[in-house]
Amino acid sequence: MNAPANLAPSRRTLLFAGLSAAGGLTIGLPIAAQASARIHLSDGQDVHPELTAWLVIDPDDTITIRIPHQEMGQGTSTALAMLVAEELNCDWSKVRIEYASANRNQREGGKLYRSMMTAGSSGVRTSVQMMQQAGASARERLRLAAAQQWKVDPTQCSVDKGRCLHLISNRSLRFGELAPAAALIKMDVEPDIKTTDQYTLVGKWTPRLDTLPKVDGSAQFGIDTQVPGMVYAAVVSCPEFGGKLKAVDEAPVKGLRGVIAVVKLDDAVAVVADRYWRAKAALDLLQPEWAPGANATVDSARLDKAYRDALDGPMVTAKSQGDAATALAQPGAKVVEALYEVPYLAHAPMEPLNCTVTLAPERVDVWIGTQSPMDVLKLAAKESGVAPENVYVHNQFLGGGFGRRGKHDELVHAIAVAKVVNKPVKLIWHREQDMRRDRFRPQAAIRFKAVLGADGKPTAMDTRVAVGSLLRSLGLNDVPSGIEPMAVEVLATHAYKVPNNQVGVMLKNAHIPVMFWRSVGASQNTFFLESFIDELAHAAGQDPYQFRRSLLLDRPDYLGVLDTIAKHGNWGDPLPPGRGRGIAIVETYGTVTGQVAEVTVGADGKVTVDRVVAAVDCYHAVNPNTIAQQIEGGVVYGLTAALYGEIQIKDGAPVQANFNTYKLLKMSETPKIEVHMSLSGGKKWGGIGEPSVAPIAPAVCNAIFAATGKRVRRLPLKNIDLRKA
Amino acid sequence: MITLLVNGQRHELDVEPEAPLLWVLRDELGLTGTKFGCGIAQCGACTVQVDGVAKRTCMLPVSSVVGQQITTIEGLSPNSRHPVQLAWAVEDVPQCGYCQSGQIMAAAAFLKTHPQPTDQDIDKGMTNLCRCGTYPRIRKAIHRAAALTSQKA
Ligand code: FES
Ligand code: FES
């Protein structure tokens, strides 16, 4: 790597980039007094000294809270800021947010902001204490600083709405006045955090801090990055995973306006130009020759068979309780059996993957939208050869993540291209590249067998699932035990009382890369289990809601959710012919979520989902506003997959590549969605970004059964013939 | 040279006539509020208004809009106070936010032809995609924007 001196990012350059980001976020909307999301990183360029690593309070009382998780739409930045602000007793209208610095975290041994990873609905769930302590700690320092200044006993001082008070003498000081002194306070013991009954902000419907820049176009996403002197790259990879670039004739693009270089990568080719559209248009003129890999003949039919066949092969026991095999072999046992299947799915975040990099001999800067800035930092260090502490990750708003922005194949491309052209590079994966080079939700097949007792309740269940290993595919872990939690989540962790219960798993990877997809294993396993439980209810001649209830009697959180959706979803009320209701419930990411779906199936087989009534028990609600958003959005995300989602494989390559073939749900197809909370409190704080994705497919398919008597055992629904026979 | 009228300003641009308007806005003029989502006129992330009509710009050659008034999210209103933006903020519509410039530009154009839309009108008229599933709130925000506009009038 040898960037000429004049292209190395100078301090001026970086400052310019930072300022343009901040300047772009200026808010003109007078309707809210709130400050806004400042999404750039200060990296030590703060004008005002920080109070703690989590907080900067300016003399005018503006409070900047540093968020260690990443904002991809799930509202985590607002929720985490609320947790800090609650403890701080500050004026919420003065709060703004910025991302915590990955570089600083790296320099401080990764301990300061911890993993900074945003996956597994982890924002509030895993960082609640860290954020609360950060707020409480700052509040206590401010209080002690005030006591010092007034030379009074700290016990006489209190804190309220951004001020420290000494009520006896009727004196008060603003946080902004106290912050410099508070920063110097040392405490031996960290203060206590509030008990839930003391909350004044947490639990209230609160507008998001990032809304305003997202309605005036000023929110900065990775794709919006502007770095002086940058060039643009478009890239296309070999369609078949495992194939290589053999050769490419550059003649068609030689001398085209703006084209700077054709860069050959191991399994891809990139065109670099002075504008993105020129790079992309030139790329489309190339006809790369690909050397086929080992899987050039693999197609979906073969994969379907392979996963189905695996169900009859060896399994690793993930759960074994009682003796299911004996119960199943009992002569005269009433056995219910079913096989379910799901295809690969793409994440398809609305912002396709992209990143911008500048390489200097001693420093790398990356502008990107990532769920894991620490992984970006490490990957950029590895690919560039620069020490990790000299990598600066400028995380931006993510235009959707859904799991995909946890692994950055586009960054590898960008650094390879930047090395060749010696200029800052913005590399954008066009939609087809983004979709074909996704790391997909894995294909899976499963077989259930269950025995029903005389009372209709299951006495035994045997589950065998064949699915890809995410960890193996990502190269994170060989999973020597053969059991991956994601593969059997829900299947091995559900709360239904079944005395004899056996769960076997075969981790089976094809050459198609797979990874975490919003709600992960729960996304397919909830479809499987909750459809099968419905089958059992019908086989037992029982009402699906009451049947579930009877198997969950020792779980008040599940019962609360079930009763809520049954009540608000008008469970049991008659519906006209062709319409039906279905119910499903799941516990995942520390949260119980249930849904009742109401569908209409036309004589032509067309499915319309009319209404979804959802309830959630995440034990505590930080921001009911963003919880409602996540339920609404999760239902749409999961319904899209249920109705349309499939990535088929042909000649070793994904077939669907854009929204014309990989359809997303539209406004006109979106049901009425009602959200209810059924919070049971206690010690746990549940996740909210993913759980609502899981129950919608089974709720809809169970409703289709209620409407038509047809059981859907394979998604997506668009391939299922539901016409009246 | 191509002359474009964008947000009330005139620009003389040395670009190929076939250059898509989306990329000219983003990369020549630095107006990055308009987004790239699919490149095949399927998603609407790239929606702007051309003479007041919503247009997807990822496949629209600049030469086809010469002399027409182009409005992007940055120019929809001074101070971001367009009723649609106000309604969007009150309903807290955006999640990731990436599709929202396009949604807002489409909604603002739609309300001109449907000042008091029914839900069916919205279903027909609002075809932009949102991967985050903000549709229920978009619907509410459109009704609210319609109410705000009629109050003003
Ligand atoms: S980017 Fe133009 S419609 Fe999708
Ligand atoms: S808000 Fe994320 S795509 Fe619409």
Side-chain angles (χ1 to χ4, degrees), chain A residues 350, chain B residues 95-100 130-132 134:
Chain A
M350 196 52 88
Chain B
Q95 292 187 29
C96 86
Y98 194 77
C99 73
Q100 298 297 340
C130 174
R131 185 57 159 156
C132 298
T134 61

Side-chain angles (χ1 to χ4, degrees), chain A residues 28-29 73 207-208 211 214-216 223-224 257 275 277-278 347 431 625 629-630 632-633 658 665 670, chain B residues 14 16 23 26 28 32-33 35 37-38 40 79-80 85 92 94-96 98 123 129 131-132 135 137:
Chain A
L29 271 176
R208 295 171 63 122
T211 294
K214 289 176 176 177
V215 303
D216 69 6
I223 203 167
D224 302 327
R257 181 175 177 191
R275 293 292 182 268
W277 82 83
R278 291 188 185 124
H347 296 79
R431 175 58 61 190
N625 176 25
Q629 273 188 326
Q630 286 310 291
E632 291 155 6
N658 207 325
L665 205 74
T670 301
Chain B
D14 174 21
E16 301 86 321
W23 294 105
R26 288 181 56 86
E28 297 291 331
T32 54
K35 302 300 191 213
C38 68
I40 56 165
N79 308 324
S80 312
Q85 288 171 306
D92 236 1
Q95 292 187 29
C96 86
Y98 194 77
D123 282 344
L129 302 178
R131 185 57 159 156
C132 298
Y135 302 121
R137 292 195 185 201

Side-chain angles (χ1 to χ4, degrees), chain B residues 13-144:
Chain B
L13 297 167
D14 174 21
V15 295
E16 301 86 321
E18 69 273 17
L21 177 60
L22 168 66
W23 294 105
V24 173
L25 292 171
R26 288 181 56 86
D27 293 352
E28 297 291 331
L29 301 178
L31 295 171
T32 54
T34 308
K35 302 300 191 213
F36 166 63
C38 68
I40 56 165
Q42 286 281 318
C43 75
C46 62
T47 304
V48 305
Q49 290 177 11
V50 177
D51 284 342
V53 177
K55 284 262 180 318
R56 295 181 177 177
T57 57
C58 57
M59 297 180 87
L60 191 69
V62 272
S63 55
S64 70
V65 292
V66 169
Q68 292 177 279
Q69 294 286 350
I70 297 158
T71 310
T72 71
I73 185 77
E74 291 89 349
L76 181 61
S77 68
N79 308 324
S80 312
R81 298 192 63 174
H82 190 282
V84 171
Q85 288 171 306
L86 293 172
W88 244 244
V90 173
E91 296 295 345
D92 236 1
V93 173
Q95 292 187 29
C96 86
Y98 194 77
C99 73
Q100 298 297 340
S101 299
Q103 304 280 6
I104 288 168
M105 295 311 290
F110 166 77
L111 281 165
K112 284 188 210 175
T113 50
H114 302 80
Q116 296 298 328
T118 62
D119 278 342
Q120 288 71 26
D121 295 334
I122 294 174
D123 282 344
K124 262 203 210 126
M126 289 295 294
T127 56
N128 284 13
L129 302 178
C130 174
R131 185 57 159 156
C132 298
T134 61
Y135 302 121
R137 292 195 185 201
I138 290 178
R139 184 187 300 282
K140 276 199 215 160
I142 289 177
H143 287 304
R144 184 181 284 273

Side-chain angles (χ1 to χ4, degrees), chain A residues 547-629:
Chain A
F547 183 74
R548 284 176 172 78
R549 230 183 164 282
S550 71
L551 300 175
L552 293 165
L553 288 175
D554 56 347
R555 286 296 299 265
D557 46 357
Y558 276 79
L559 295 181
V561 168
L562 274 178
D563 293 345
T564 305
I565 53 178
K567 176 172 159 232
H568 293 281
N570 306 88
W571 190 262
D573 286 3
L575 284 170
R579 300 190 63 198
R581 266 188 214 101
I583 192 166
I585 188 165
V586 67
E587 178 183 16
T588 187
Y589 303 103
T591 289
V592 178
T593 317
Q595 290 161 12
V596 166
E598 235 174 75
V599 308
T600 303
V601 183
D604 58 354
K606 192 176 154 27
V607 177
T608 310
V609 181
D610 305 306
R611 179 179 178 226
V612 174
V613 176
V616 62
D617 189 355
C618 48
Y619 306 96
H620 297 275
V622 180
N623 187 357
N625 176 25
T626 48
I627 290 173
Q629 273 188 326

Side-chain angles (χ1 to χ4, degrees), chain A residues 502-526:
Chain A
Q502 179 82 18
V503 179
V505 58
M506 176 43 60
L507 294 180
K508 182 177 172 54
N509 287 66
H511 74 294
I512 305 293
V514 291
M515 100 181 265
F516 301 83
W517 185 96
R518 192 176 185 186
S519 83
V520 196
S523 73
Q524 72 268 14
N525 290 344
T526 306

Side-chain angles (χ1 to χ4, degrees), chain A residues 216-355:
Chain A
D216 69 6
S218 66
Q220 297 281 303
F221 297 84
I223 203 167
D224 302 327
T225 303
Q226 305 277 347
V227 177
M230 77 180 182
V231 294
Y232 298 79
V235 61
V236 64
S237 293
C238 177
E240 178 209 345
F241 285 98
K244 301 282 178 215
L245 178 65
K246 195 160 134 201
V248 60
D249 176 11
E250 297 180 28
V253 306
K254 271 268 152 62
L256 285 186
R257 181 175 177 191
V259 171
I260 294 165
V262 174
V263 180
K264 294 178 196 138
L265 303 170
D266 180 46
D267 64 351
V269 57
V271 175
V272 186
D274 65 343
R275 293 292 182 268
Y276 180 70
W277 82 83
R278 291 188 185 124
K280 176 64 168 66
L283 184 68
D284 291 345
L285 295 174
L286 295 179
Q287 290 184 308
E289 252 186 85
W290 307 108
N295 298 292
T297 59
V298 173
D299 63 16
S300 285
R302 203 160 118 188
L303 289 166
D304 291 353
K305 182 170 180 328
Y307 279 96
R308 244 178 271 137
D309 288 351
L311 298 178
D312 298 322
M315 290 271 151
V316 182
T317 301
K319 176 171 185 150
S320 184
Q321 181 187 307
D323 185 355
T326 305
L328 277 158
Q330 279 311 314
K334 181 169 182 182
V335 176
V336 183
E337 181 178 338
L339 187 149
Y340 286 80
E341 294 164 288
V342 291
Y344 290 110
L345 292 179
H347 296 79
M350 196 52 88
E351 178 194 14
L353 296 191
N354 66 86
C355 69

